[in-house]
Amino acid sequence: MPTEKLYWPEPFATSFEATARPGELAGQRSIVLDRTMFYPESGGQLADTGTLVIAGRTLGVKDVQVDDAGEIHHLVEGPVEPFDPTPASGTIDSARRRDHMAQHTAQHALSRALVDVARAETVSARLGATSCTIDVEGALDDRDVARAEDLVNAVVTDDVAVRQLFPTAEELARMPLRRAPKVDRDVRVIEIEGFDLSPCGGTHCTRTGQIGVVRVVDLERYKGGWRVTFHAGRRALDDARRKQAVLAELARELTCGLLDVGQAVGKLRRELKARQDALSVTRGELVELVAARTLADNPPDPSGTTRIVLVRPDADVGMLRTLAGRLAARPDVVAFCASPDERDSAELLIVVQRGSSATFDCGAWLKATAGAHGGRGGGRPERAEGRLAASVPLASRMHS
Ligand SMILES: [Zn+2]
């Protein structure tokens, strides 16, 4: 027999009396009551938690589920031994319930507002433990969302009644419902007076003022439509506080006002770009000087091939390539330009390049050295690059 739903007529009540008996749900022992205030997880709303007192024993209710027959199963902490039907009293976590009611009623209002401002129909909604989402089909942009948010908050400020209705089939047929019912009889409709009519089995506020402020915090593409993330009431306040704390921290770092953080970051980025540009000019000049000095220090070897090892701790791969290119501009040179990898100090970045008259095979050397000492990389006979273990004895290895 379906469990009597005490949470429908009295969403603000928190304690109740009932008769308990043991039940079973998907192989798990549960407690079934003839009537309950515990809302079972369904319709995108999370279950209530709380406590049941049965025969002097207090049991923590950690989850509540409803089966196909409409029986509500209370899943409790600890084992459930068989017992005869017995009087029980229950208390739900009222803060958790109030939060769920606020999020759920806000979801109805926001779904309606998205239809009104952008004809964006709700496909599904999820009321999570930390954030709530509405997935809609149709086009939606930031301006639509801001207008929908304004509309919902105006309905909150108007503090209109939220009622549960149990219409007859004829009454139901005449109702301008936002969406079709999922059950075909005993349909329960939630009315936000003068604003929205929607079939639903969840728990809701009794006036819109109880919702508190509603804030949309994210709009993202989702499955060909859009996902709107929102917070209502206490969650909106907590979210605003967390974000303000982050902003305040940034403002302190940047020694500016909270609302000037964006401008201050823009200024920093422009300064950084200017310095990077200046640095890149200086590095270009440095490369020319280093290459010229290195070539002067390494006159052409009588053998016809001059091997030059150049390790520059400050060089990135771009600088190594330029250096190797400058050195190998002299026909007799085989240039080995290396630098410790910034991300992995156990490795060397290396670029090997030969001049036009040298016959050394850069690609084969790098491959063989990586194979023998650890690393990876390769290339053509004329030029190769990769990474080698920092322990590779670069100079002696080359001369062996
Ligand atoms: Zn609802």
Side-chain angles (χ1 to χ4, degrees):
M1 214 176 110
T3 308
E4 187 189 342
K5 304 175 180 78
L6 298 174
Y7 49 81
W8 271 3
E10 290 186 277
F12 281 100
T14 56
S15 300
F16 66 103
E17 307 290 325
T19 302
R21 62 176 172 80
E24 195 183 306
L25 183 75
Q28 231 184 322
R29 283 272 179 79
S30 69
I31 290 172
V32 174
L33 308 173
D34 58 337
R35 56 211 289 267
T36 188
M37 223 156 246
F38 282 90
Y39 180 79
E41 179 180 8
S42 53
Q45 182 179 330
L46 295 171
D48 283 325
T49 57
T51 52
L52 283 175
V53 180
I54 302 171
R57 232 181 113 210
T58 301
L59 304 164
V61 177
K62 55 181 180 157
D63 193 15
V64 187
Q65 297 288 331
V66 61
D67 66 20
D68 293 336
E71 263 185 357
I72 295 173
H73 296 261
H74 305 72
L75 301 163
V76 296
E77 283 152 4
V80 176
E81 303 300 340
F83 61 91
D84 292 329
T86 181
S89 62
T91 307
I92 63 160
D93 178 337
S94 58
R96 178 180 166 94
R97 162 66 75 74
R98 287 287 289 268
D99 174 53
H100 292 170
M101 283 159 58
Q103 309 309 319
H104 200 147
T105 315
Q107 181 262 308
H108 282 232
L110 190 53
S111 283
R112 161 57 65 181
L114 289 166
V115 171
D116 286 0
V117 305
R119 293 201 190 118
E121 300 275 353
T122 295
V123 180
S124 65
R126 201 185 132 269
L127 308 167
T130 55
S131 71
C132 301
T133 56
I134 296 175
D135 297 336
V136 300
E137 55 188 13
L140 205 58
D141 63 22
D142 289 333
R143 272 185 27 206
D144 297 326
V145 167
R147 284 166 58 213
E149 189 183 67
D150 282 343
L151 182 52
V152 169
N153 283 290
V155 171
V156 168
T157 308
D158 285 347
D159 192 28
V160 300
V162 179
R163 299 185 191 95
Q164 57 164 353
L165 311 173
F166 292 95
T168 63
E170 293 74 33
E171 288 166 338
L172 189 68
R174 283 195 302 273
M175 277 185 175
L177 296 179
R178 179 163 47 76
R179 61 181 181 82
K182 285 176 184 159
V183 290
D184 48 16
R185 59 193 184 86
D186 301 332
V187 177
R188 177 180 184 251
V189 172
I190 297 301
E191 175 193 38
I192 300 176
E193 192 177 24
F195 191 56
D196 186 53
L197 283 166
S198 182
C200 187
T203 56
H204 308 82
C205 301
T206 52
R207 300 195 69 85
T208 54
Q210 295 155 3
I211 299 171
V213 74
V214 178
R215 281 284 291 127
V216 173
V217 293
D218 195 27
L219 173 66
E220 61 185 331
R221 276 235 161 258
Y222 185 76
K223 285 186 179 171
W226 293 92
R227 169 164 282 185
V228 176
T229 304
F230 71 95
H231 298 308
R234 179 73 208 193
R235 290 193 194 188
L237 180 63
D238 289 343
D239 181 62
R241 281 184 180 160
R242 276 196 302 274
K243 286 171 180 167
Q244 167 129 8
V246 171
L247 207 51
E249 174 71 33
L250 282 173
R252 266 195 300 279
E253 289 284 332
L254 296 165
T255 56
C256 67
L258 243 55
L259 297 181
D260 300 325
V261 163
Q263 245 183 337
V265 170
K267 185 166 164 258
L268 268 186
R269 293 180 70 131
R270 285 191 298 280
E271 281 173 12
L272 183 62
K273 172 79 170 53
R275 284 178 198 207
Q276 277 170 339
D277 290 348
L279 180 63
S280 122
V281 171
T282 308
R283 284 178 85 136
E285 288 170 359
L286 180 66
V287 164
E288 299 304 332
L289 287 171
V290 168
R293 193 187 65 200
T294 307
L295 287 171
D297 289 348
N298 293 272
D301 192 88
S303 70
T305 300
T306 312
R307 300 183 179 196
I308 301 177
V309 176
L310 187 58
V311 179
R312 297 281 311 185
D314 56 341
D316 59 13
V317 71
M319 192 169 172
L320 294 179
R321 285 172 187 154
T322 312
L323 270 173
R326 290 290 182 280
L327 296 177
R330 206 174 79 191
D332 60 300
V333 167
V334 180
F336 300 80
C337 298
S339 169
D341 188 352
E342 274 183 354
R343 288 164 299 177
D344 183 356
S345 58
E347 286 193 330
L348 279 176
L349 293 170
I350 186 160
V351 177
V352 191
Q353 189 167 346
R354 75 180 187 197
S356 57
S357 69
T359 54
F360 184 82
D361 189 331
C362 302
W365 175 83
L366 187 54
K367 206 174 160 194
T369 308
H373 294 272
R376 61 197 177 279
R380 294 169 288 120
E382 298 79 23
R383 197 180 167 289
E385 61 180 70
R387 295 163 188 279
L388 292 177
S391 57
V392 170
L394 213 46
S396 62
R397 176 70 202 160
M398 280 179 319
H399 294 295
S400 65

